[in-house]
Amino acid sequence: MTTTYRGRIAYQGAPGAYSHQACIDSCPDFEPVPFATFEDAIEAVRSGTVDLGMIPVENSTYGRVADVHQLLPESGLHVIDEAFVRVHVNLLAVPGATMADIREVRAMPVLLGQARGFIRDNNLSPIAWSDNAGAARDVAALGDITVAAMASEIAGQITGLTVLARHVEDNDLNTTRFLVMSRTPDYTRRGTGPMMTCLIFQVRNIPAALYKAMGGFATNGINMTKLESYMVGGHFTATQFYAEIEGHPDDRSVQLALEDLGYFTSHMALMGVYPASSARNSETRN
């Protein structure tokens, strides 16, 4: 049976990547399309080659995906949704290999960091790879029983590798958060639950500018869930911020907070509005 898609969605990595899993789970009506790098995936959305992008931004164990956070402010794209994917880390090896054979494990640094305990306990040498599913593909092609990959079970199925150890992540609630990106914003949607707004801004070069800029959110009762800083143009004196807040730009309290923000910033722009995922406050993201 042929699946009829209503669009295409870009992700970084080879087929079987966790981003691939996020596309299947969260955007089943869109055809997942792999790209080698985050830059390539973002550019595919920007150019119209695909309709959407599935971009990972942070992991509950490892923290933020640093490369992506540098790309987001200048991407020109807009956030229209978020997705949380429970990340199960599996040790994959060529058929016939045993746990006693494995000496080296390959995966992205962000995934290796989520299974430090397992790697240490089994005296494995971690080798950073460009993407996890790509590591599985390369291990399969290598055919060496001493080399394994850490990746999803989907990657193992695609590449023909055997799962030697399942769910070896250090944290039982290990979860990655993704942003769904589009060329155009959609500020009209109202979910049945809370809404999220993300924005970028650059503070003016005045004393206590950031403290003053944040004051409007506090006085108007707006909860800020994320604040990230970036250097602008390689200068230490120019800092840009990426922020996520609870609420919709049409909410009066949000409008007042953004008005206050404007007094202390030289640049401010909305990056997206989307319904808060029900998994955002879940204690059991299974």
Side-chain angles (χ1 to χ4, degrees):
M1 177 177 167
T2 302
T3 302
T4 301
Y5 294 108
R6 62 184 180 91
R8 307 172 82 217
I9 183 167
Y11 68 91
Q12 184 275 331
Y18 292 102
S19 295
H20 186 190
Q21 178 184 335
C23 293
I24 294 171
D25 293 347
S26 302
C27 299
D29 294 335
F30 285 77
E31 177 188 1
V33 182
F35 289 88
T37 67
F38 291 124
E39 291 92 336
D40 290 342
I42 288 172
E43 179 57 33
V45 182
R46 192 160 44 205
S47 68
T49 303
V50 299
D51 302 283
L52 302 174
M54 181 69 72
I55 308 298
V57 289
E58 57 194 340
N59 176 265
S60 60
T61 301
Y62 190 80
R64 73 178 187 173
V65 182
D67 291 347
V68 168
H69 276 266
Q70 293 295 332
L71 293 171
L72 282 180
E74 305 303 325
S75 69
L77 302 181
H78 303 272
V79 183
I80 62 168
D81 215 339
E82 66 178 352
F84 290 82
V85 173
R86 178 67 174 86
V87 176
H88 289 300
V89 182
N90 306 281
L91 189 73
L92 309 177
V94 296
T98 67
M99 195 64 227
D101 296 321
I102 306 302
R103 296 290 180 269
E104 174 186 303
V105 59
R106 302 176 178 181
M108 292 179 70
V110 69
L111 199 70
L112 295 171
Q114 295 167 35
R116 287 193 181 98
F118 179 85
I119 292 171
R120 180 186 62 249
D121 293 344
N122 288 277
N123 297 315
L124 304 179
S125 297
I127 305 297
W129 224 248
S130 59
D131 71 88
N132 304 310
R137 177 197 60 212
D138 294 343
V139 166
L142 183 64
D144 186 341
I145 64 170
T146 69
V147 180
M150 281 184 170
S152 69
E153 288 199 51
I154 297 175
Q157 294 166 3
I158 291 173
T159 58
L161 295 180
T162 298
V163 178
L164 285 186
R166 282 183 169 83
H167 305 179
V168 300
E169 60 273 13
D170 295 331
N171 191 318
D172 290 340
L173 297 179
N174 189 38
T175 302
T176 295
R177 176 174 174 249
F178 293 80
L179 296 179
V180 180
M181 312 290 290
S182 173
R183 286 185 301 282
T184 56
D186 183 359
Y187 299 148
T188 63
R189 287 187 304 161
R190 283 282 190 170
T192 57
M195 296 293 292
M196 301 296 298
T197 296
C198 56
L199 62 147
I200 55 174
F201 62 90
Q202 188 172 333
V203 296
R204 293 165 55 196
N205 190 18
I206 58 175
L210 180 59
Y211 173 79
K212 294 173 181 177
M214 295 296 95
F217 296 102
T219 57
N220 288 286
I222 302 299
N223 185 32
M224 180 173 289
T225 61
K226 179 171 290 295
L227 181 66
E228 300 279 354
S229 63
Y230 311 84
M231 296 301 174
V232 178
H235 300 290
F236 287 104
T237 56
T239 304
Q240 182 167 266
F241 294 88
Y242 169 85
E244 296 177 357
I245 61 173
E246 293 180 351
H248 190 285
D250 290 341
D251 296 343
R252 184 56 180 161
S253 57
V254 174
Q255 291 176 346
L256 291 172
L258 294 180
E259 287 177 9
D260 288 348
L261 179 65
Y263 292 122
F264 305 104
T265 57
S266 57
H267 169 73
M268 190 272 287
L270 295 180
M271 278 197 65
V273 177
Y274 52 94
S277 169
S278 59
R280 174 175 284 272
N281 296 316
S282 173
E283 296 295 326
T284 57
R285 294 173 186 148
N286 295 320

